[in-house]
């Protein structure tokens, strides 16, 4: 399965809520969800009651699309979460939060997760002093994420820092905007994950 290359605003409209895939645009009056809150397509405004399976599928798709994860990757994360002690649904969300592209976004070093994924792929970040260009890399407690020396001088990061100024960094991360250095001080708790999702429905989806 290839990456989704069409308008990401259609994804938010399909899920019926903002997934913040376009950075600043999602906070403006230009947001597609604010302008057209119904699903895309000619039948988007028709109301259909979802089946139990359909509701579970939508929750899974919502999380997968918000984080930009392929179907096979998501199933793999679920398997890992299911093997860990604790609540499987919460394990799944906290595991996905550890992705490097998500951490870069949470630190305010990218305006959106898609942008964070692109920046990581283009080798703009170091983890513990080493370049990492794998967006799905799972960070650990104590890992230090920094912007490469050559990248931090670019106009690109000046624009990013301007657009993310004032964004709240979750308590499980520590960010120094002067040195462009972030640190993982803990793993995310369920309360730190702000995507409105009922993760137990995802567990039910994979339990069938």
């Amino acid at each position: 399965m290839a990456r989704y290359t069409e308008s990401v605003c259609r994804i938010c409209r399909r899920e019926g809520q903002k997934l913040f895939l376009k950075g600043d645009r999602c906070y403006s009056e230009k947001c597609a969800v604010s302008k057209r809150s119904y699903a895309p397509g000619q039948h988007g405004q028709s109301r259909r009651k979802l089946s139990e399976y359909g509701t579970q599928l939508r929750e899974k798709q919502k999380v997968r699309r918000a984080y930009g994860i392929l179907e096979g990757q998501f199933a793999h994360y679920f398997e890992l979460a299911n093997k860990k002690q604790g609540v499987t649904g919460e394990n799944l969300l906290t595991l996905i939060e550890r992705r490097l592209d998500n951490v870069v976004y949470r630190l305010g070093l990218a305006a959106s997760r898609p942008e964070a994924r692109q920046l990581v792929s283009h080798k703009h970040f170091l983890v513990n002093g080493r370049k990492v260009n794998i967006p799905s890399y799972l960070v650990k407690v104590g890992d230090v994420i920094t912007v490469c020396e050559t990248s931090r001088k670019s106009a690109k990061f000046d624009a990013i820092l301007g657009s993310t100024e004032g964004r709240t960094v979750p308590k499980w991360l520590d960010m120094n905007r002067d040195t462009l250095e972030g640190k993982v001080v803990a793993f995310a708790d369920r309360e730190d994950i702000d995507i409105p999702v009922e993760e137990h429905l995802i567990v039910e989806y994979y339990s069938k």
Side-chain angles (χ1 to χ4, degrees):
M1 174 182 171
R3 287 282 179 192
Y4 181 84
T5 57
E6 297 184 35
S7 170
V8 293
C9 292
R10 290 175 63 89
I11 295 178
C12 295
R13 289 179 59 204
R14 179 64 186 87
E15 301 306 331
Q17 63 188 69
K18 294 184 180 185
L19 299 179
F20 300 97
L21 304 176
K22 291 282 284 186
D24 289 344
R25 186 185 182 94
C26 300
Y27 297 93
S28 72
E29 59 184 18
K30 295 181 180 180
C31 175
V33 176
S34 299
K35 295 166 67 176
R36 293 174 291 177
S37 59
Y38 49 87
Q42 62 177 335
H43 302 298
Q45 297 187 63
S46 61
R47 295 183 177 180
R48 292 185 304 167
K49 185 176 180 180
L50 288 175
S51 64
E52 180 182 6
Y53 172 80
T55 302
Q56 295 164 355
L57 175 63
R58 290 266 58 85
E59 289 300 295
K60 187 263 293 183
Q61 293 294 79
K62 182 195 304 180
V63 175
R64 191 174 69 79
R65 288 168 169 172
Y67 287 95
I69 303 174
L70 298 178
E71 191 66 55
Q73 287 179 311
F74 196 86
H76 176 63
Y77 287 136
F78 182 82
E79 290 179 8
L80 294 177
N82 198 32
K83 292 177 181 177
K84 294 178 63 177
Q85 291 185 344
V87 182
T88 300
E90 294 184 8
N91 289 343
L92 174 64
L93 295 180
T94 55
L95 184 65
I96 294 173
E97 279 284 309
R98 291 171 53 195
R99 286 174 56 99
L100 180 57
D101 55 357
N102 176 71
V103 172
V104 166
Y105 166 70
R106 293 292 196 189
L107 288 170
L109 295 173
S112 64
R113 288 188 181 89
E115 182 178 56
R117 184 164 53 251
Q118 183 183 58
L119 292 172
V120 171
S121 297
H122 291 177
K123 302 181 180 180
H124 287 288
F125 297 98
L126 306 174
V127 178
N128 299 328
R130 300 180 62 182
K131 283 188 178 181
V132 177
N133 65 337
I134 303 172
S136 61
Y137 177 88
L138 296 179
V139 301
K140 303 180 293 295
V141 173
D143 281 354
V144 176
I145 296 90
T146 54
V147 179
C148 292
E149 189 66 34
T150 54
S151 301
R152 68 178 62 196
K153 299 176 183 177
S154 68
K156 174 70 174 177
F157 275 93
D158 285 341
I160 290 173
L161 291 174
S163 68
T164 61
E165 187 174 3
R167 180 190 294 177
T168 301
V169 176
K171 67 178 186 296
W172 59 281
L173 297 172
D174 182 61
M175 178 62 192
N176 186 326
R177 290 176 69 89
D178 293 327
T179 60
L180 298 186
E181 179 177 287
K183 185 175 182 179
V184 182
V185 296
F187 288 145
D189 293 327
R190 177 62 184 91
E191 63 186 26
D192 298 318
I193 301 170
D194 54 6
I195 296 177
V197 59
E198 297 181 59
E199 61 272 15
H200 68 92
L201 294 175
I202 301 175
V203 177
E204 292 172 7
Y205 172 86
Y206 281 109
S207 298
K208 291 186 179 298

